[in-house]
Amino acid sequence: MATKDGLPFDASDIEGVLLDISGVLYDSNESGGTAIQGSVEAVKRLKESKYQVRFCTNESQHIRSDLVERLQRLGFNLSVSEVFSPAPAACQIVQERGLTPHLLVDDRVLPEFASLQHQPGRAADCVVIGDAVDKLTYKSMNDAFRVLIGCERPILISLGIGKYYKEEDRLMLDVGPFTKALEYAVGCEAEVVGKPSPTFFRAALKDMGVESEKAIMIGDDIVNDVGGAQKCGMRGIQVRTGKFR
């Protein structure tokens, strides 16, 4: 039975709200995207309320500053520090382990990896794959495969693991199918950085200072948003926009 707020659970103890971006706040397109009806006002009300608010996205085609600028132009009130995306987290992992990555990511995301020190003559010992769109060709996938198959212990880091997403009125393949192809070919298991990784969710919760049982994740992906949040101890709400079918 729904509560007076229309929710299927009691939200009186909720202190923090995590919001997906694409398909929840806006639908992306080549011209910059379109805000989903009511989303700008909803974010405004949330940020004016008692709740801590953060934005969790598997976006791997744009760096966070570009994404925030795009959303601000649509009327959203948010800052870069409130956005959690996979590329900066993957960069930190690579740095902490002293790895040399082969990057199969969108060119627009490369600035997130600018802090990595390139060592001339040192061969790549891991692959970082994201939603590289038109760069995901047979050649680029085969190059990534060769790096992995040549490693004694292949390390494949995937910026999310989504199956597909919505762009304008079309569904588009996400990074997940390409990651799975490399897993199958190499016989390894990817380390997923982004939703539904518990580590990714916990970073946002820690930033808010909110325990998982007192937070809600709102997204359009029943597996990566809602399911991932629930496995982390949060409650999840699936919206009927974006990739919802």
Side-chain angles (χ1 to χ4, degrees):
M1 180 179 294
T3 66
K4 65 180 180 180
D5 298 317
L7 298 174
F9 49 75
D10 181 10
S12 61
D13 61 340
I14 294 299
E15 298 177 1
V17 178
L18 301 181
L19 294 169
D20 185 20
I21 293 179
S22 180
V24 175
L25 302 186
Y26 87 124
D27 286 325
S28 62
N29 58 43
E30 294 181 358
S31 62
T34 305
I36 292 172
Q37 184 176 1
S39 59
V40 173
E41 295 77 11
V43 170
K44 183 175 184 292
R45 290 199 302 270
L46 280 172
K47 298 193 77 171
E48 290 175 347
S49 71
K50 64 176 183 177
Y51 303 118
Q52 291 285 322
V53 179
R54 296 295 185 273
F55 304 86
C56 287
T57 177
N58 278 352
E59 171 65 65
S60 60
Q61 292 183 31
H62 302 275
I63 60 175
R64 287 176 298 165
S65 58
D66 287 349
L67 179 61
V68 167
E69 183 180 343
R70 171 180 290 203
L71 291 169
Q72 288 174 340
R73 287 199 299 267
L74 295 176
F76 291 99
N77 173 25
L78 77 166
S79 62
V80 172
S81 63
E82 295 172 313
V83 177
F84 287 77
S85 65
C91 183
Q92 183 177 352
I93 289 172
V94 170
Q95 285 181 314
E96 289 175 350
R97 298 186 192 175
L99 299 171
T100 301
H102 174 88
L103 297 173
L104 181 46
V105 299
D106 193 292
D107 288 342
R108 292 168 291 185
V109 178
L110 289 175
E112 295 279 20
F113 296 91
S115 61
L116 298 178
Q117 296 296 318
H118 176 68
Q119 298 183 28
R122 182 171 175 179
D125 51 14
C126 73
V127 169
V128 177
I129 184 171
D131 181 17
V133 198
D134 293 337
K135 285 180 65 177
L136 290 168
T137 62
Y138 175 84
K139 182 182 184 305
S140 66
M141 288 288 288
N142 200 46
D143 288 344
F145 162 74
R146 287 175 173 171
V147 170
L148 292 169
I149 205 70
C151 295
E152 183 177 349
R153 298 180 62 185
I155 299 174
L156 174 60
I157 299 172
S158 183
L159 307 183
I161 198 70
K163 296 178 180 178
Y164 55 86
Y165 58 92
K166 184 180 179 182
E167 185 174 279
E168 296 182 329
D169 59 347
R170 304 167 297 174
L171 294 178
M172 311 286 285
L173 277 178
D174 206 339
V175 66
F178 300 94
T179 297
K180 290 298 181 182
L182 290 174
E183 284 184 331
Y184 176 72
V186 177
C188 68
E189 183 175 350
E191 299 179 34
V192 179
V193 181
K195 300 173 294 185
S197 167
T199 302
F200 187 71
F201 283 120
R202 289 184 190 124
L205 291 170
K206 181 179 179 181
D207 190 64
M208 292 192 296
V210 174
E211 298 296 324
S212 59
E213 63 271 16
K214 295 184 178 181
I216 292 177
M217 174 70 205
I218 301 174
D220 64 335
D221 189 318
I222 192 66
V223 175
N224 295 317
D225 295 332
V226 177
Q230 290 173 336
K231 287 180 180 179
C232 196
M234 291 185 281
R235 280 163 275 190
I237 296 175
Q238 184 184 24
V239 296
R240 299 173 67 89
T241 52
K243 69 173 68 172
F244 174 84
R245 296 175 68 80

